């Protein structure tokens, strides 16, 4: 079958009005598709759990995360302090749950910004081609060749203000190129499909072809790219903060780990201010990676079919695999 | 036509295949005599390729055989072990499918692919196998030096010939051709079919030829079975089918090919589209498209829309499933 | 008065890597004209350049040389967006693959409504009504229900009808149909061909019907152009050409579909890659004489209305 239908995921994302029943609840079709895949279901539950914690953090945090209590420093986890306390006597549990807010928000926003830039530049470049494509290509290559982490270190080291928005801008700046490259490549495969030519032949202006015809067919890929950059931003952000290049007065997982490291708590056998934020970070990234894997599986039936066909040919010719 | 076909090579009895909840093949009976060319015609989605895959025993989940049997020389294939089936495939029955030319491994020389395939089935030295590969290529009208070629160095028609040569390698009794020439140009298509005919004369294997192009079958097949929506609706010797088609679907198919000679007349084709097998029509599956299914004729209409017609013998070797013929 | 006239149209593509750059002469020296209310069939095997011709006329590619005359102007030279838009509103393309030519995430309505709006065919208030009219014209009923559907909910034949409705939306003078039935089921092909015949008669549209199927060309076309390796090798009224073909390639094609025994000595490479002087069919030709491999034959009218590019059957005077 020569037919290349959109992935069900693209259709569901581009045409969100159709709901699918899962049990008794009606959920958007794309969500239902992702929930049916084992990997993305697990990932979505993890991410949803972290987001939920972040949202209700003011309700469950025991104290203001930066409150210090010199009478209760360096306490191991206990019923009173679930995750123990820091050398300042701050409650690590509160720091982790409140820090979830900033870490997740920063990751999501940086991911969104990078995705937006990448989608607009990458897809437009692919479709328009010519000099525009050359320039965007050059730009992405430049950003790809610059070693990202040293650049980040240098940029954030020189910045005077290190508020959240600055961090978002810095991270998006170094990450958009990865995505632009992926999306451009995918747009290139779509741009010569007949329906794009048909739209062109019927006189659609370029911007409408890019945003109205091409992009809706790439939503699942854009979503995948977003998830990818989301967790890379999370890691990068925490990494920068761990190196002391973030906003050190804020509460986030990276900052907590930073202070734990500065005060060499681990060396003194106090693993908790280090371990719990790291676990939270790891768990979130794991969730996002699973979601990404799920999106990939749901939206690439073609790949799966190809693999099957390969086996079929082997079987037919009686090769070893059969 | 071949000599009197006596020995039944393959018999399909009441075969039912389901894809999930969709019944793609619904109770099919076929028999193929040794040395015979059986044509299986029908439109995309009618189940003809599924039948081929079932005969070849290469159905993959979610497709599975839920009923019936496939007897090869009297032995039922359903339920045989993987190892038995592996031996049966290619040695007894081989297959050339539509995209077969893409089944060649792009990074291996053609000859090495023959070697692999042969060594999977019998003990043969590499040198012996290569020589044999060259002979086979010559059989299908290619230069034997092409064993050294990579697939990308060959045109689509050439690659299809290579696959046919591979199908011949273990001299099977039956070769299934599933739309073997659909992707090829008319001239190449003609040449390949000529080649198959010539080879059949020399080696006397039976052929199941599956295509949507009824006009090709009228020319090449001894006997033709027409499939519609998972069923066989008519089967007859080719000449008889061309002469006096009885099922309205067969008649419609024959009217769908404009002639190259004679007066230019408007044809009608068949209105509507093949049914969705997830919800097959009640009664006769062809009734929504049938020009003879009219509410005015109340008694017949009721039968057509509620009762499934059974394949019945009208004349020797001519079977039809249609209420009109019964009436 | 022809609707569209093509003169000496050529298109080359560069193929191969940087080291072994070759020129594929996909279309070379092609001239013909399309008449209102007539269907011209363009037949040839895959790779003969027939689809490229359709795409050149639709302005999806720029020609390497030659001209396409429409309404007195040379469309190949027009650059202004307004002019291109006007041309596109009158020359429409129908694609081969009805599964690929519709945007999978857009409704049927979107596909037909967009051209109406882009070219301001009817006032906004009447768009809905016109969409329904067009769907009815191509036999998609009930139109309001079909308009809401997505391509994957339609059968191949229905999709091709949507594509035709989209082409008709702008009230074109010329329709270029690129193998519109080759990917459809046999039983519904005739329906699409009949629809084209009906449109030709009712709307006086000039059709270019690109196909590899001689029988369907005979069924709907008035004139035929046979292409081989980028060149038109035979041209004339369809009945006459198919009854008494001049060019050996046309004869070979006919023999293949008539079920005659054929002998072909094809060589591997396409004759259109870096062609040398001489007839491009020479290596496969049973009639070849010495002049064939040194001089490229021209299209010569050997019988009234029928021309061929062959030194033997249509010699220049």
């Amino acid at each position: 079958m020569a037919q290349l239908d959109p992935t069900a995921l693209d259709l569901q994302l581009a045409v969100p009005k159709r709901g699918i029943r899962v049990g008794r609840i009606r959920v958007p079709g794309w969500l239902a598709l992702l929930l049916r895949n084992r990997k993305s279901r697990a990932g979505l539950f993890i991410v949803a759990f972290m987001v939920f914690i972040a949202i209700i953090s003011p309700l469950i945090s025991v104290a203001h995360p930066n409150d210090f209590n010199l009478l209760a420093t360096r306490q191991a986890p206990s019923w009173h302090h679930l995750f123990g306390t820091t050398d300042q006597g701050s409650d690590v549990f509160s720091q982790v749950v409140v820090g979830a807010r900033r870490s997740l928000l920063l990751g999501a926003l940086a991911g969104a910004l990078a995705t937006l830039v990448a989608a607009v530049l990458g897809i437009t470049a692919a479709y328009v081609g010519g000099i525009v494509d050359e320039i965007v290509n050059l730009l992405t290559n430049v950003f790809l060749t610059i070693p990202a982490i040293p650049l980040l270190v240098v940029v954030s080291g020189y910045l005077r203000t290190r508020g959240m928005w600055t961090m978002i801008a810095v991270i998006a700046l170094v990450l958009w190129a990865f995505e632009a490259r992926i999306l451009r490549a995918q747009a290139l495969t779509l741009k010569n499909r007949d329906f794009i030519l048909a739209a062109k032949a019927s006189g659609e202006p370029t911007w409408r072809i890019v945003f109205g015809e091409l992009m809706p067919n790439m939503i699942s890929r854009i979503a995948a790219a977003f998830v990818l950059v989301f967790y890379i931003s999370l890691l990068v952000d925490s990494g920068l903060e761990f190196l002391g290049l973030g906003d050190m007065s804020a509460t986030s997982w990276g900052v907590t780990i930073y202070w734990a490291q500065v005060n060499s708590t681990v060396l003194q056998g106090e693993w908790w201010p280090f371990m719990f934020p790291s676990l939270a970070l790891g768990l979130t990234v794991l969730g996002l990676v699973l979601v990404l894997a799920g999106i990939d599986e749901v939206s690439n039936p073609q790949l799966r079919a190809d693999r099957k066909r390969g086996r079929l040919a082997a079987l037919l010719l009686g090769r070893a695999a059969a | 036509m071949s000599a009197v076909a006596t020995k039944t090579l393959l018999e399909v009895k009441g075969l039912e295949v389901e894809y999930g909840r969709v019944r793609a093949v619904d109770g099919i009976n076929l028999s193929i005599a040794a040395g015979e060319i059986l044509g299986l015609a029908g439109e995309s989605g009618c189940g003809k390729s599924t039948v081929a895959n079932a005969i070849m025993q290469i159905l993959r989940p979610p497709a599975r055989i839920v009923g019936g049997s496939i007897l090869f020389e009297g032995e039922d294939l359903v339920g045989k072990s993987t190892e038995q089936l592996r031996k049966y495939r290619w040695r007894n029955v081989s297959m050339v499918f539509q995209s077969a030319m893409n089944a060649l491994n792009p990074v291996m020389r053609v000859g090495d692919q023959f070697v692999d395939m042969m060594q999977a089935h019998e003990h043969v030295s590499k040198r012996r196998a290569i020589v044999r590969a060259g002979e086979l290529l010559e059989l299908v009208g290619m230069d034997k030096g092409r064993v050294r070629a990579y697939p990308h160095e060959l045109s689509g028609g050439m690659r299809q010939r290579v696959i046919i040569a591979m199908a011949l390698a273990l001299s099977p009794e039956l070769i299934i051709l599933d739309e073997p020439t659909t992707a090829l140009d008319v001239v190449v298509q003609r040449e390949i079919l000529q080649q198959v005919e010539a080879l059949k004369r020399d080696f006397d294997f039976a052929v199941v030829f599956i295509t949507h192009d009824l006009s090709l079958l009228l020319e090449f097949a001894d006997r033709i079975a027409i499939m519609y929506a998972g069923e066989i609706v008519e089967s007859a010797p080719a000449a008889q089918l061309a002469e006096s088609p009885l099922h309205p679907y067969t008649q419609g198919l024959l009217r769908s090919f404009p002639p190259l000679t004679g007066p230019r007349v408007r044809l009608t084709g068949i209105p509507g589209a093949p049914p969705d097998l997830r919800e097959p029509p009640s009664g006769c599956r062809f009734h929504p498209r049938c020009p003879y299914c009219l509410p005015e004729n109340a008694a017949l209409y009721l039968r057509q829309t509620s009762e499934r017609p059974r394949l019945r013998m009208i004349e020797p070797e001519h079977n039809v499933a249609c209420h009109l013929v019964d009436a | 008065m022809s609707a569209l006239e093509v003169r000496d149209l050529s298109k080359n593509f560069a193929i191969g890597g940087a080291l072994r750059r070759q020129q594929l002469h996909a279309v070379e020296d092609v001239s013909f004209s399309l008449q209102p209310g007539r269907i011209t069939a363009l037949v040839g095997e895959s790779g003969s350049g027939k689809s490229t011709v359709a795409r050149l006329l639709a302005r999806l590619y720029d020609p390497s040389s030659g001209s396409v005359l429409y309404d007195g102007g040379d469309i190949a030279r027009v650059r202004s967006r307004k002019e291109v838009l006007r041309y596109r509103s009158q020359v429409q393309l129908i694609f081969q693959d009805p599964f690929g030519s519709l945007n999978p995430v857009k409704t049927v309505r979107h596909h037909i409504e967009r051209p109406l709006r882009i070219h301001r065919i009817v006032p906004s208030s009447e768009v809905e009504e016109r969409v329904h009219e067009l769907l009815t014209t191509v036999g998609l009923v009930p139109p309001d229900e079909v308009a809401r559907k997505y391509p994957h909910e339609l059968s191949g034949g229905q999709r091709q009808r949507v594509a035709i409705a989209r082409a008709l939306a702008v009230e074109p003078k010329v329709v270029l149909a690129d193998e519109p039935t080759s990917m459809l089921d046999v039983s519904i092909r005739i329906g699409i061909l009949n629809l084209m015949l009906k449109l030709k008669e009712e709307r006086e549209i000039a059709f270019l019907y690109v196909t590899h199927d001689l029988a369907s060309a005979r069924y709907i076309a008035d004139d035929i152009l046979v292409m081989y390796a980028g060149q038109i090798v035979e041209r004339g009224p369809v009945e006459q050409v198919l009854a008494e073909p001049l060019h050996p390639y046309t004869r070979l094609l006919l023999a293949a579909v008539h079920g005659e025994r054929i002998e072909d000595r094809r060589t591997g490479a396409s004759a259109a890659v870096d062609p040398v002087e001489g007839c491009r069919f020479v290596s496969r030709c049973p009639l070849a004489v010495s002049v064939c491999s040194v001089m490229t034959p021209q299209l010569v009218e050997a019988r009234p209305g029928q021309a061929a590019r062959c030194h033997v059957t249509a010699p220049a005077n």
Side-chain angles (χ1 to χ4, degrees):
Chain A
M1 200 158 59
Q3 180 176 358
L4 261 171
D5 253 340
T7 75
L9 193 59
D10 273 318
L11 194 65
Q12 293 292 352
L13 283 163
V15 190
K17 51 185 172 266
R18 306 133 164 256
I20 292 180
R21 274 189 183 296
V22 171
R24 240 177 296 161
I25 317 159
R26 215 171 170 76
V27 299
W30 59 271
L31 189 57
L33 283 173
L34 288 183
L35 285 177
R36 251 178 243 155
N37 180 284
R38 260 196 309 178
K39 288 181 190 159
S40 52
R41 183 172 52 218
L44 280 173
F45 277 125
I46 296 175
V47 175
F49 173 73
M50 298 309 288
V51 171
F52 176 71
I53 294 292
I55 290 171
I56 64 159
S57 58
L59 303 176
I60 57 171
S61 59
V62 187
H64 188 277
N66 290 349
D67 274 357
F68 50 91
N69 176 1
L70 296 177
L71 297 175
T73 61
R74 303 175 179 234
Q75 292 192 351
S78 65
W79 277 116
H80 195 62
H81 295 288
L82 271 181
F83 292 179
T85 61
T86 66
D87 63 320
Q88 304 282 312
S90 308
D91 180 47
V92 177
F93 177 74
S94 304
Q95 287 195 344
V96 169
V97 295
V98 174
R101 286 196 149 189
R102 191 188 130 100
S103 292
L104 288 176
L105 194 62
L106 195 142
L109 287 176
L113 184 63
T115 307
L116 184 72
V117 175
V120 171
L121 285 183
I123 301 175
T124 310
Y127 177 71
V128 177
I131 186 78
V132 178
D133 192 28
E134 295 284 335
I135 293 173
V136 173
N137 224 347
L138 183 71
L139 215 60
T140 45
N141 283 338
V142 166
F143 274 92
L144 282 175
T145 31
I146 295 177
I149 297 293
L151 174 75
L152 276 169
V153 172
V154 171
V155 171
S156 47
Y158 274 96
L159 283 174
R160 220 168 293 145
T161 54
R162 292 186 195 153
M164 189 159 102
W165 288 106
T166 323
M167 293 302 289
I168 289 171
V170 169
I171 292 172
L173 182 75
V174 295
L175 290 184
W176 72 271
F178 286 98
E179 266 188 279
R181 158 123 330 169
I182 300 170
L183 293 177
R184 174 178 169 274
Q186 278 159 348
L188 277 180
T189 66
L190 275 178
K191 91 176 233 200
N192 282 323
R193 295 273 299 282
D194 284 348
F195 69 86
I196 297 297
L197 292 180
K200 189 177 165 195
S202 73
E204 288 277 14
T206 302
W207 67 271
R208 273 206 77 117
I209 295 182
V210 171
F211 295 104
E213 307 277 337
L214 265 176
M215 223 182 247
N217 278 286
M218 297 181 58
I219 298 194
S220 67
R221 289 137 205 206
I222 295 175
F226 164 72
V227 175
L228 176 73
V229 177
F230 187 165
Y231 76 70
I232 296 178
S233 324
L234 256 180
L235 289 170
V236 166
D237 171 50
S238 304
L240 284 176
E241 286 170 345
F242 173 71
L243 295 174
L245 295 166
D247 176 2
M248 289 307 118
S249 60
T251 305
S252 78
W253 296 335
V255 172
T256 304
I257 301 170
Y258 169 75
W259 288 116
Q261 125 87 12
V262 165
N263 298 317
S264 32
T265 51
V266 180
L267 291 181
Q268 299 168 35
E270 297 155 16
W271 47 271
W272 50 90
F274 198 85
M275 182 70 107
F276 288 109
S278 304
L279 270 179
L281 179 65
L283 195 61
T284 313
V285 170
L286 174 70
L288 289 167
V289 170
L290 285 171
V291 172
L292 186 63
I295 293 179
D296 235 26
E297 281 187 9
V298 175
S299 64
N300 267 338
Q302 199 60 36
L303 282 181
R304 287 205 303 272
D306 283 350
R307 239 177 280 143
K308 251 181 235 157
R309 216 169 297 142
R311 278 207 302 275
L312 187 69
L315 190 64
L316 260 176
L317 300 180
R319 296 214 182 102
Chain B
M1 284 263 258
S2 59
V4 194
T6 45
K7 189 178 121 202
T8 300
L9 190 64
L10 183 98
E11 199 165 8
V12 176
K13 282 186 185 162
L15 181 70
E16 293 172 352
V17 182
E18 284 185 358
Y19 283 88
R21 277 182 220 140
V22 177
R23 183 160 287 199
V25 173
D26 197 2
I28 280 205
N29 297 300
L30 276 178
S31 74
I32 298 142
E36 181 188 35
I37 301 187
L38 173 74
L40 197 55
E43 299 179 89
S44 53
C46 72
K48 56 190 192 302
S49 292
T50 309
V51 172
N53 291 351
I55 294 175
M56 199 68 195
Q57 287 289 303
I58 50 168
L59 287 173
R60 310 247 86 198
R64 60 198 180 92
I65 295 176
V66 292
S69 55
I70 301 169
L71 307 173
F72 186 83
E73 290 177 335
E75 276 186 68
D76 196 350
L77 298 176
V78 181
K80 281 214 171 183
S81 77
T82 322
E83 182 54 27
Q84 284 170 315
L85 285 176
R86 195 182 69 81
K87 284 192 179 140
Y88 153 81
R89 281 183 213 118
W90 233 249
R91 179 175 297 288
N92 295 122
V93 182
S94 65
M95 181 167 172
V96 176
F97 49 108
Q98 185 178 355
S99 52
M101 47 192 188
N102 301 326
L104 292 172
N105 185 342
V107 296
M108 270 174 85
R109 290 181 200 277
V110 166
D112 294 336
Q113 309 200 32
F114 272 94
V115 173
D116 262 19
M117 189 269 296
M118 285 185 219
Q119 287 183 338
H121 288 279
E122 51 193 35
H123 291 288
V124 57
S125 72
K126 183 170 174 181
R127 181 177 302 182
R128 231 352 256 130
I130 288 274
V131 171
R132 177 103 182 93
E135 290 164 10
L136 287 163
L137 288 185
E138 283 190 327
L139 272 181
V140 296
M142 288 174 69
D143 183 64
K144 68 175 171 218
R146 294 290 190 153
V147 289
R148 298 189 52 74
Y150 285 98
H152 72 91
E153 295 169 314
L154 305 173
S155 67
M158 292 280 200
R159 272 180 278 166
Q160 200 66 323
R161 282 166 194 260
V162 170
I163 293 288
I164 291 173
M166 279 188 163
L168 289 171
L170 303 175
S171 358
E173 289 106 313
L174 175 66
I175 297 185
I176 301 173
L177 304 172
D178 186 1
E179 305 260 9
T181 57
T182 309
L184 304 172
D185 286 315
V186 276
V187 177
V188 186
Q189 170 174 325
R190 169 68 44 185
E191 287 174 312
I192 287 187
L193 292 179
Q194 282 176 6
Q195 199 82 57
V196 170
E197 262 197 331
L199 290 167
K200 197 194 93 74
R201 271 199 302 277
D202 295 347
F203 294 91
D204 203 37
F205 46 79
V207 175
V208 176
F209 189 164
I210 296 173
T211 178
H212 65 274
D213 191 344
L214 189 52
S215 57
L216 271 184
L217 289 186
L218 292 177
E219 207 182 309
F220 281 97
D222 300 321
R223 211 150 51 81
I224 299 177
I226 309 279
M227 278 190 79
Y228 186 77
E231 307 172 320
I232 290 179
V233 293
E234 182 161 8
S235 71
Q240 197 168 345
L241 194 85
E243 199 79 2
S244 53
L246 290 175
H247 198 284
Y249 178 64
T250 314
Q251 293 167 357
L253 273 185
L254 286 167
R255 273 201 311 271
S256 298
F257 294 96
L260 263 172
T261 50
R264 289 210 283 178
V265 286
R266 287 272 170 118
L267 300 174
T268 46
I270 304 172
D276 182 349
L277 284 180
R278 278 168 296 187
E279 297 164 52
S282 63
C284 170
R285 291 188 169 174
F286 186 62
H287 89 258
R289 299 174 78 188
C290 182
Y292 305 109
C293 181
L294 305 165
E296 290 88 79
N297 198 343
L300 183 60
Y301 185 75
L302 186 68
R303 276 189 77 196
Q304 284 168 327
T305 52
S306 63
E307 186 189 326
R308 284 209 22 212
R310 298 170 52 119
L311 197 65
R312 299 190 334 145
M313 192 192 282
I314 304 300
E315 282 171 61
E317 288 204 74
H318 195 160
N319 304 296
V320 188
C322 179
H323 291 306
L324 291 165
V325 180
D326 297 358
Chain C
M1 179 47 196
S2 49
L4 189 86
E5 199 172 333
V6 178
R7 278 193 201 153
D8 306 326
L9 195 65
S10 296
K11 176 70 182 173
N12 303 335
F13 293 104
I15 54 172
L19 291 176
R20 264 184 62 207
R21 186 139 286 220
Q22 294 175 308
Q23 287 287 320
L24 171 67
H25 292 225
V27 173
E28 191 170 280
D29 221 3
V30 162
S31 305
F32 61 89
S33 67
L34 301 177
Q35 314 292 334
R38 281 180 86 80
I39 298 181
T40 304
L42 180 60
V43 301
E45 60 194 11
S46 56
S48 62
K50 57 189 196 301
S51 288
T52 312
V53 169
R55 285 168 187 229
L56 282 169
L57 298 192
R59 278 217 53 154
L60 289 175
Y61 303 143
D62 282 326
S64 304
S65 67
S67 47
V68 178
L69 301 177
Y70 179 80
D71 212 7
D74 181 1
I75 279 316
R77 302 281 161 272
V78 162
R79 281 285 175 275
S80 90
R81 178 167 157 76
K82 209 177 138 208
E83 278 297 297
V84 171
L85 204 59
R86 201 180 72 82
Y87 175 73
R88 283 196 172 145
S89 75
Q90 319 222 300
V91 178
Q92 285 288 313
L93 181 63
I94 296 168
F95 291 84
Q96 172 179 14
D97 178 6
F99 300 95
S101 71
L102 303 178
N103 192 334
V105 302
K106 300 287 182 180
T107 57
V108 168
R109 172 180 292 109
H110 170 91
H111 288 98
I112 299 169
E113 180 186 283
R114 284 304 301 161
L116 290 174
R117 290 190 193 276
I118 296 166
H119 301 285
R120 298 203 177 78
I121 306 293
V122 289
S124 269
S125 56
E126 290 168 31
V127 164
E128 178 89 11
E129 195 184 324
R130 180 57 69 90
V131 168
H132 289 177
E133 252 174 61
L134 285 161
L135 286 174
T136 314
T137 305
V138 297
L140 290 172
V141 285
D144 51 331
E145 203 174 288
V146 177
R148 278 196 301 271
K149 293 195 167 172
Y150 287 87
H152 70 92
E153 297 171 290
L154 304 175
S155 70
Q158 288 173 317
R159 292 187 202 201
Q160 202 56 296
R161 284 171 193 267
V162 172
I164 293 174
R166 166 173 64 188
L168 293 180
V170 293
E171 296 167 4
K173 301 272 192 301
V174 178
V175 171
L176 313 164
D178 186 2
E179 306 221 32
T181 60
S182 68
M183 302 199 49
L184 301 179
D185 273 326
V186 181
S187 70
I188 48 190
R189 286 183 188 171
I190 287 289
I192 298 290
L193 295 180
N194 285 343
L195 175 61
M196 285 170 61
L197 279 170
K198 179 183 110 172
L199 295 171
K200 164 192 107 159
E201 281 154 16
E202 287 173 3
R203 304 197 173 206
E204 283 288 298
I205 293 174
F207 271 99
L208 180 71
Y209 173 59
V210 178
T211 184
H212 62 269
D213 178 14
L214 285 176
S216 72
R218 178 171 184 265
Y219 181 68
I220 67 165
D222 302 290
D223 305 299
I224 189 170
L225 307 163
V226 182
M227 255 185 117
Y228 181 77
Q231 297 174 325
I232 289 181
V233 294
E234 183 151 9
R235 177 182 78 199
V238 70
E239 287 270 42
Q240 190 180 328
V241 168
L242 296 186
E244 293 176 77
L246 282 169
H247 199 279
Y249 177 63
T250 318
R251 293 177 186 175
L252 177 67
L253 278 181
L254 269 168
V257 283
H258 272 315
E260 287 164 28
R261 189 154 183 89
I262 56 169
E263 288 293 335
D264 188 12
R265 348 161 179 186
R266 167 194 300 268
T267 51
S270 163
V273 177
D274 284 338
V276 290
E277 187 68 15
C279 174
R280 292 191 182 169
F281 191 62
V282 67
S283 63
R284 294 170 70 181
C285 185
L287 308 176
V289 291
S290 57
V291 66
C292 297
S293 34
V294 290
M295 205 170 100
T296 308
Q298 298 301 309
L299 257 182
V300 175
E301 191 162 303
R303 296 196 193 113
Q306 186 179 0
R309 203 184 266 276
C310 178
H311 289 305
V312 180
T313 58
N317 320 334

